[in-house]
Amino acid sequence: MEQEYIKLIFGLKLKQIRTDKNLSLFGLSKICGLSKSYLNEIEKGKKYPKPDKIILLSEKLDVPYDQMVSLKLDKNLAPIGDLLRSKILKEIPLELFGIKESDLIDIVATAPAKVNAFISTIIEIAQHYSFSRESFYLASLRSYQEANNNYFEDIEQQVLKFAKAYHLDLNKTLSSKDLEEILTEEYGYTINNEEIKKYEALENLRSLFVPETKTLLLSADINEPQRTFIYAKEIAYNFLAYTDRLYSFPWIKFENFDQVLNNFYASYFAGALVIPKTRLVPKIEVVFSEETFDSNKFLALINGFNASPESVYQRLTNILPNSFNIQNLFFLRFTHRLGSTKYHLKKELHLSHQHSPRANETNEHYCRRWVSLKVLNDIKMSQKDHEFDCQISEYDGDDNSYIVFSSATKDPFKDNQYRSISIGLLMNKQLERKIKFLNDPKLKSQKVGVTCERCAIKNCKERQNSAVVLDRVDKNKNVESIVEELQAKFQS
């Protein structure tokens, strides 16, 4: 075991022995002549006492020396030992949320049976829903983004620093050629556009970096915005000096959370470089200042960069909270295959709180009134490169309304598959001050639910299933009501 874990286990044992004997740290200090601060450091796993100190503690606490130094923990603390040995605490990005590992262990040690039961419950739920290690990492990253309103000033500044160092004018549209020159000349990259297409199994792979030879393999099917983003991301890995990284796009597997986090930072850098804040903010202001919603101006914003619509939508989730103080929003990406009746929510982000809609793992039917799904159906019919729509979604039952902007495109790497990206802004007084067209009578408004199974909207033509969840709730309430009446009747 690593030395730090040995120290932690010894500290846990010492604390348990001390508390079992109803001794305070002050009391133990008086008995053995060791300072209170030194004993506290031992119990927190920061220090490991020398053999003579362990002998002293053993004698004063009347505990055999072998028991003191043994790595075996008693029944109450055994789960903590398993936790430490599993190294899961090394995989959880505790520092990302300002949590010290020693503090978490201290919490566990204070009530091991209860905390162990809680951890076991979480694990059981995760297993029931096939919650993988990858899902856990991505959920942790999403929480980190949400905790920071998905805006990272240090990365924004690094982009400006890079642009200045390489004399890039961020007021002009960057091309892949601009960035390829930097990759090859500055970082010694070799670009290969031929190799990936030789392997049928790699049809969904856009890029693969081989670090030993600094070779970047690219799919022959990528378009100019995708190539530019990939180059920008590779530049980010080099400029930010991230060595623990993912090598394929999209990723195939990752070994640790740092790779996930660095991949996010590199993507953020790429988005901020290709879609600079200084150019995006004025474009947003133009759209928001209109008294009526002009879809052409919104599309001009989306198409005003050498970037995919998804990249622009994601960049909006960085800029709207920071520059416009619009902090209640959600971002969604759906995929849908031609001929299928299912819609899959593949990516989501919720700022400030968990908004509807959100992913569900219960095979329920997402509301077909969502504009996110409507644009997917539109593009299937039109076969255009890009379908756009906007609506005000009024959620039945929770009194929340969102203005939702949604675009659908073909998936360039999967035949007969489409994807939609949407950003929804919670409608409130603050948003009305920011966006002038919210009261535009031409804006479509639609009553929506979350899933059909939980929706109380009557006579819905788009309904895919009955409200079985609500029916079950109503049935239970009826049973509770009858039981209360019977109890009252026979009490008198």
Side-chain angles (χ1 to χ4, degrees), residues 55-92:
I55 291 171
L56 176 64
L57 288 167
S58 172
E59 291 174 351
K60 298 301 182 182
L61 291 169
D62 193 26
V63 175
Y65 178 91
D66 289 346
Q67 184 180 331
M68 292 284 291
V69 298
S70 169
L71 296 178
K72 186 177 181 181
L73 295 167
D74 69 14
K75 185 178 180 181
N76 283 338
L77 289 177
I80 305 173
D82 294 339
L83 200 64
L84 295 176
R85 277 188 287 272
S86 72
K87 297 190 178 182
I88 192 171
L89 292 181
K90 288 298 178 189
E91 295 192 359
I92 301 173

Side-chain angles (χ1 to χ4, degrees), residues 50 69 189 226 338:
K50 293 181 178 179
V69 298
Y189 273 50
Q226 290 166 342
L338 191 66

Side-chain angles (χ1 to χ4, degrees), residues 179-191:
L179 302 183
E180 183 174 324
E181 187 178 6
I182 295 172
L183 276 179
T184 55
E185 297 295 326
E186 180 70 13
Y187 297 115
Y189 273 50
T190 298
I191 310 298

Side-chain angles (χ1 to χ4, degrees), residues 61 71 91 100 128 138 149 153 168 187 269 303 327 352 396 427 430-431 465 481:
L61 291 169
L71 296 178
E91 295 192 359
K100 292 181 180 178
H128 181 71
L138 294 174
N149 282 324
E153 179 62 29
L168 293 175
Y187 297 115
F269 182 102
N303 298 321
Q327 298 183 2
S352 290
D396 184 65
M427 296 184 64
Q430 182 190 24
L431 194 69
N465 195 10
S481 176

